[in-house]
Amino acid sequence: MWADRPGIQTETTRPDLTETEETGMVLMSTGMQETHTRKDLQLPVTGIVHMAATGTNLMVLICVAVAQAVMSGFSSMGGLATGSFSLNSAINPFQGTELQEVRALDMQYSQMRGPGVYGGVAFSLVMGVITLFFLIGGAKPLYRIPIKLLVLEFFFDVLACVGYIVAVGLYLHFVIQVNATDVCKKRERLYARQGYTWMNCDVQGSDAAVALFGLITACLYFVGSILCALTIRLAKAIQKDLYLEQNQPEPEGRSHNGKQRDHVHCSDIDPNVPVSTLV
């Protein structure tokens, strides 16, 4: 055996690494495992929040349309042309000049509510479409989502939260202002004569539902902005780990020791030893 020959040094195992190299390799291995684990992290909570916000945007749109349909009265020509009853139906309680008066008042009241209706529909529709865009754009692994998209999503959530709070306040203020007009008061008295006391100038349940779903949507956008900020921090950390992993130079000791593994250092062989003794 070569180990019994004088002047010959053998190396059958890999030389021990220094403590610093061992610590570095352990940390690098741990970091790579953590990186691969975090790569597969999806953060579905953000998607769930945006999905819920899309649904509440749709509910706001529906409630705005229903509020206009309910308050359009007996006139089928008012607002969205979907009045509660038709003036041409057999159950119409109005006759003669009273019929003409209530028709005119319904038309005027529906036109006065028009800006709030169309503004509410447009606002909720635009918010829902943008939210759906971010929901689809974020349906991928976190390390593949661009940071710019997450930053845009964060600012959108903040602006949408503030915008919905302002929009709800403006909508209720607009409804109260319309209900305080003489047109609404005259209309209320005409309907009250026939026993329709629910057709009054108070804020109706459908308008309150618009405000309720609007505030719920604002809360969802607020939660979404917080989760998006945390997602941005995590995405930056993951992408930084990926960059370091791809550009990590191979440890110097690893390649040098790998070439010397399990072979004899020929330079250390004593030239005075006969070759036949090496067999």
Side-chain angles (χ1 to χ4, degrees):
M1 296 177 62
W2 288 18
D4 298 333
R5 299 294 187 268
I8 299 178
Q9 297 181 0
T10 60
E11 184 182 26
T12 58
T13 59
R14 181 177 176 178
D16 294 335
L17 297 175
T18 63
E19 182 179 355
T20 304
E21 291 176 340
E22 284 187 11
T23 305
M25 293 182 65
V26 170
L27 291 177
M28 185 178 65
S29 177
T30 305
M32 291 176 62
Q33 291 177 359
E34 182 182 358
T35 300
H36 287 298
T37 301
R38 293 162 71 183
K39 269 196 228 177
D40 299 329
L41 190 59
Q42 289 287 339
L43 290 182
V45 177
T46 306
I48 292 175
V49 171
H50 283 160
M51 189 179 299
T54 303
T56 53
N57 274 294
L58 180 61
M59 290 302 301
V60 170
L61 189 151
I62 293 174
C63 290
V64 169
V66 170
Q68 176 65 9
V70 170
M71 295 305 296
S72 63
F74 283 90
S75 177
S76 61
M77 297 298 294
L80 299 176
T82 55
S84 301
F85 301 95
S86 174
L87 288 174
N88 298 322
S89 65
I91 62 173
N92 179 22
F94 301 103
Q95 301 295 331
T97 56
E98 193 177 51
L99 175 62
Q100 298 298 326
E101 186 178 4
V102 74
R103 183 193 293 270
L105 291 175
D106 284 343
M107 288 292 296
Q108 292 179 32
Y109 183 76
S110 298
Q111 291 175 358
M112 292 171 64
R113 284 181 59 99
V117 174
Y118 298 124
V121 169
F123 181 79
S124 59
L125 185 61
V126 170
M127 289 292 131
V129 171
I130 297 177
T131 304
L132 188 61
F133 167 76
F134 284 115
L135 178 62
I136 296 175
K140 60 181 67 174
L142 187 57
Y143 71 97
R144 295 180 55 189
I145 301 178
I147 299 296
K148 292 183 179 179
L149 180 63
L150 293 175
V151 173
L152 289 176
E153 182 179 345
F154 170 76
F155 284 109
F156 168 73
D157 287 340
V158 173
L159 293 177
C161 176
V162 177
Y164 250 106
I165 294 174
V166 174
V168 168
L170 290 177
Y171 181 81
L172 291 178
H173 176 74
F174 177 80
V175 169
I176 293 173
Q177 290 295 321
V178 172
N179 289 347
T181 59
D182 292 337
V183 172
C184 183
K185 299 298 183 182
K186 292 179 181 179
R187 185 170 176 266
E188 180 182 10
R189 289 194 295 268
L190 286 175
Y191 278 102
R193 292 175 188 173
Q194 303 298 329
Y196 298 101
T197 57
W198 56 270
M199 191 72 74
N200 52 48
C201 294
D202 297 331
V203 177
Q204 299 297 315
S206 52
D207 292 325
V210 173
L212 176 62
F213 283 111
L215 293 178
I216 292 175
T217 308
C219 293
L220 289 174
Y221 282 124
F222 176 74
V223 174
S225 64
I226 296 176
L227 293 176
C228 190
L230 297 176
T231 303
I232 292 174
R233 291 183 57 185
L234 184 58
K236 287 183 177 180
I238 290 177
Q239 294 185 9
K240 181 179 179 181
D241 290 344
L242 287 174
Y243 176 80
L244 294 176
E245 180 183 347
Q246 295 173 357
N247 296 273
Q248 180 70 31
E250 189 176 2
E252 183 178 354
R254 178 181 298 181
S255 59
H256 178 70
N257 294 329
K259 295 178 181 179
Q260 296 180 346
R261 186 182 304 173
D262 299 332
H263 76 280
V264 179
H265 291 277
C266 295
S267 59
D268 294 332
I269 299 177
D270 191 349
N272 298 322
V273 178
V275 178
S276 59
T277 61
L278 300 177
V279 183

